[in-house]
Amino acid sequence: MITSNFDSDIGAMIHTGTEKVTVDEILDATRNWFEHAEFHPQTPVIWDLSDAFLDMTIEEMRNMYTLVRSALDSKRTGGRTGWVHPSGLVRSMISLLHNEFDWGSEWSTFQGFDEALSWCVPTRD
């Protein structure tokens, strides 16, 4: 399950995953963010999946770029996306997915939320 919240205090979209997170839920959250009234392509995005089990196959991950491109009318142009997960293996897979395709934004992975926040929103107070 993913809940999404635009935090106007820091100017970032925060997607928080709990329990099982599927490809469809990531696609829905991404689509909803692109349709959100506060959407801007350079707005920082944090996917906090630290309490989530990623319920997806290698094949689904391999097709993620195609699935996202077909679900959205546009691509982000700039901005940073931070991915949080305690597993080094999951973080490595996310990094590989980022390196394989042109997502339009800069990505990095983190073990903790605070590190992701500092990287995504470096000028926050």
Side-chain angles (χ1 to χ4, degrees):
M1 179 171 84
I2 296 175
T3 56
S4 301
N5 178 49
F6 179 75
D7 188 326
S8 57
D9 291 338
I10 61 172
M13 173 54 84
I14 312 294
H15 300 290
T16 305
T18 56
E19 302 167 14
K20 283 200 245 182
V21 171
T22 65
V23 169
D24 288 337
E25 290 172 322
I26 290 174
L27 292 173
D28 287 343
T30 302
R31 189 179 305 109
N32 289 337
W33 167 229
F34 273 64
E35 296 170 355
H36 194 278
E38 298 292 334
F39 176 78
H40 186 279
Q42 295 180 359
T43 298
V45 176
I46 298 174
W47 291 87
D48 184 0
L49 305 174
S50 55
D51 292 328
F53 170 75
L54 296 181
D55 189 15
M56 57 187 71
T57 66
I58 296 294
E59 188 68 19
E60 287 174 319
M61 288 190 80
R62 187 179 72 77
N63 291 321
M64 184 65 80
Y65 185 80
T66 302
L67 293 169
V68 170
R69 295 281 46 91
S70 65
L72 302 172
D73 294 331
S74 63
K75 184 190 306 191
R76 285 182 68 196
T77 52
R80 289 182 168 185
T81 302
W83 294 86
V84 180
H85 198 277
S87 168
L89 179 60
V90 171
R91 292 192 311 273
S92 293
M93 293 177 76
I94 291 168
S95 293
L96 286 170
L97 189 60
H98 174 253
N99 293 335
E100 187 73 21
F101 302 101
D102 176 14
W103 293 91
S105 65
E106 193 176 350
W107 284 16
S108 194
T109 61
F110 304 91
Q111 195 166 9
F113 181 84
D114 290 338
E115 297 93 348
L117 182 59
S118 293
W119 181 79
C120 284
V121 191
T123 59
R124 70 181 184 91
D125 295 332

